Amino acid sequence: MTRTGTITMSMQELDRLKVIEAVAEARLMTWRAAERLGLSRRQVERLVMRYRDEGAAGLVSRRRGTRSNHQLPQTVLDRALGLIHERYADFGPTLACEKLHECHGLVLSKETARHLMMDAGLWVPRKQRPPKVYQPRARRACFGELVQIDGSDHRWFEDRAPACTLLVYVDDATSRLMTLHFTASESTFSYFEATRMYLEHFGKPVALYSDRASVFRGTRAATTGNGVTQFGRAMYELNVDTWCANSSPAKGRVERAHLTLQDRLVKELRLRGISTLAAANAYAPAFMATYNAHFAKPPRSTFDAHRPLRDDEDLDAILTWRVMRKVSRSLTVLNDRVIYLLEDTVANRKLIGRYIDVWEYPDGRIEIRAAGVALRYVPYDKLAEIDQGAVIEHKRLGHALQVAQVLQAQRDNRPISGSPSRTNRGAAVRNPTPRPARRSNAHSPEKTVSVI
């Protein structure tokens, strides 16, 4: 607000005063003043007449100091504030406003409730609150006590090869790189491969700390049936705890390692001309030794928390994808759109209607087990179907698009089925009645690839 003589005017009213003065002194056209003020010409003429009669005071709003037509009665405001003090003192303005309407029939806006609570000292605006202090979490004391794991999808080979994923295992106590594993995408089997390398080299850590990806956190499609993921089930059998971080800063050691690796490792791969996953994985141990010599920290305790693998812990059997499948009346088992035919024996006939285990190994081998005994089977058929609703995680989207481009290129180069050739186009025109389409042959050699 600005004082002009003995009149208090707002900045808007002061700007209007200057424009009206210019019109009254014939220094500005009326229509030009109307455009500048966003008013009609008649309103500008009224303001000029009021200025000539009353001076600057005539341009001050006549409603100043009067009660708003939309203002709530003071009794309603007092009742609302009393109820807030009595029942909703620790509520936010929005929730308190909703409860006043639901429970007491008081209809007021959330901004009105906000101002009431601010004036009463029950609510502090976010801009006026002191900033929160997030202190860094202290490192674990022992080597192998907590290992942070994560995957980084990046163009590790720059333009020399497509983007891929690097799985990184970092020790929380020392920031030491424990395992680097290049893979096409972040999946359960890729984590099985990287974890096996870790276990065979260092032993079993106390716990693995990851994000909330579906590999580690249960979803309906990725669980074993009891809410545990395949990776979580394998780690449980090895007696290794798996925990999920609530946010990226919670596993800051591995997140900061990603930034360093995306700078240094990319350049090292370029200098050595490495552009394949196999060559990168072969170079990874040498890079880790150099990295740890520069950036690793000594632990507070000299105790190594790693435990050796037991003799009865078979990594080949533990690091597998296991699902339960029902045996049909025809002694078949359907898994991943492939039908497996069991031998027609007396023992297998007793399995009809029961659920048995199907194990898939990282190398692609399939093993069907019942009561711990492997059954003999024959792959009978592979079902071909179109999956229009495949669910793909955001971390695997890049790899899925690459596979989709390859498949689309193959389909684009394939001749269209049923198109008339040059020799029979005339016959097709003469006989426009379409023939009934043939049923698709289930034994067609064409393959369908699904990326989920």
Side-chain angles (χ1 to χ4, degrees), residues 324-335 338-345 347-356 358 368 375 380:
M324 301 286 290
R325 292 294 180 257
K326 188 177 182 179
V327 181
S328 68
R329 294 180 177 273
S330 55
L331 286 178
T332 59
V333 177
L334 176 62
N335 179 61
V338 179
I339 298 177
Y340 299 96
L341 182 62
L342 303 179
E343 286 186 337
D344 186 4
T345 62
N348 288 346
R349 288 194 177 193
K350 296 179 180 180
L351 300 176
I352 293 177
R354 292 173 52 187
Y355 284 88
I356 59 177
V358 178
I368 300 178
L375 305 179
Y380 176 69

Side-chain angles (χ1 to χ4, degrees), residues 44 76 78 214 257 297 316:
V44 172
V76 176
D78 293 341
S214 61
K297 308 292 183 182
D316 290 333

Side-chain angles (χ1 to χ4, degrees), residues 380-384 439-446:
Y380 176 69
D381 192 11
K382 185 171 185 178
L383 302 181
R439 298 180 61 184
S440 61
N441 187 0
H443 299 277
S444 174
E446 182 183 350

Side-chain angles (χ1 to χ4, degrees), residues 208-392:
L208 298 176
Y209 200 43
S210 67
D211 57 13
R212 293 184 290 178
S214 61
V215 175
F216 313 106
R217 193 166 184 261
T219 60
R220 190 161 193 169
T223 57
T224 58
N226 54 3
V228 180
T229 64
Q230 298 288 340
F231 186 84
R233 185 266 313 157
M235 294 301 102
Y236 177 79
E237 293 184 7
L238 290 170
N239 196 20
V240 176
D241 286 318
T242 56
W243 299 330
C244 294
N246 194 38
S247 62
S248 295
K251 52 184 183 63
R253 314 263 185 254
V254 69
E255 294 290 349
R256 283 190 289 273
H258 286 330
L259 299 179
T260 307
L261 293 172
Q262 290 175 4
D263 178 40
R264 288 178 171 250
L265 182 55
V266 169
K267 294 178 175 62
E268 293 289 349
L269 295 176
R270 183 203 308 161
L271 293 175
R272 288 162 175 76
I274 297 175
S275 58
T276 62
L277 298 179
N281 285 324
Y283 168 67
F287 176 83
M288 285 192 297
T290 304
Y291 179 98
N292 293 333
H294 281 83
F295 301 108
K297 308 292 183 182
R300 287 183 294 166
S301 173
T302 58
F303 176 74
D304 189 351
H306 288 100
R307 296 158 294 157
L309 289 168
R310 300 188 322 191
D311 296 336
D312 58 345
E313 291 175 336
D314 184 6
L315 294 182
D316 290 333
I318 294 175
L319 301 179
T320 54
W321 185 282
R322 303 179 187 178
V323 291
M324 301 286 290
R325 292 294 180 257
K326 188 177 182 179
V327 181
S328 68
R329 294 180 177 273
S330 55
L331 286 178
T332 59
V333 177
L334 176 62
N335 179 61
D336 197 17
R337 293 186 295 177
V338 179
I339 298 177
Y340 299 96
L341 182 62
L342 303 179
E343 286 186 337
D344 186 4
T345 62
V346 176
N348 288 346
R349 288 194 177 193
K350 296 179 180 180
L351 300 176
I352 293 177
R354 292 173 52 187
Y355 284 88
I356 59 177
D357 294 317
V358 178
W359 291 13
E360 183 176 354
Y361 291 85
D363 58 3
R365 291 182 294 116
I366 300 295
E367 196 172 76
I368 300 178
R369 289 172 166 258
V373 178
L375 305 179
R376 299 183 62 181
Y377 66 89
V378 176
Y380 176 69
D381 192 11
K382 185 171 185 178
L383 302 181
E385 64 180 45
I386 299 176
D387 188 3
Q388 295 287 357
V391 178
I392 300 176

Side-chain angles (χ1 to χ4, degrees), residues 93-159:
T94 302
L95 183 58
C97 180
E98 294 176 0
K99 293 304 177 183
L100 289 175
H101 177 61
E102 294 176 6
C103 304
H104 309 283
L106 293 179
V107 180
L108 42 80
S109 67
K110 62 181 181 181
E111 289 302 322
T112 302
R114 190 186 311 276
H115 284 289
L116 286 175
M117 298 179 69
M118 288 170 54
D119 295 340
L122 301 177
W123 179 258
V124 179
R126 296 186 185 277
K127 293 183 179 179
Q128 299 179 11
R129 299 176 189 175
K132 294 183 178 180
V133 178
Y134 295 95
Q135 294 184 338
R137 175 180 59 83
R139 297 176 180 270
R140 304 308 303 173
C142 302
F143 177 63
E145 187 176 358
L146 182 68
V147 177
Q148 299 184 14
I149 62 177
D150 193 21
S152 176
D153 189 9
H154 187 66
R155 297 199 70 90
W156 295 102
F157 308 119
E158 299 174 309
D159 297 332

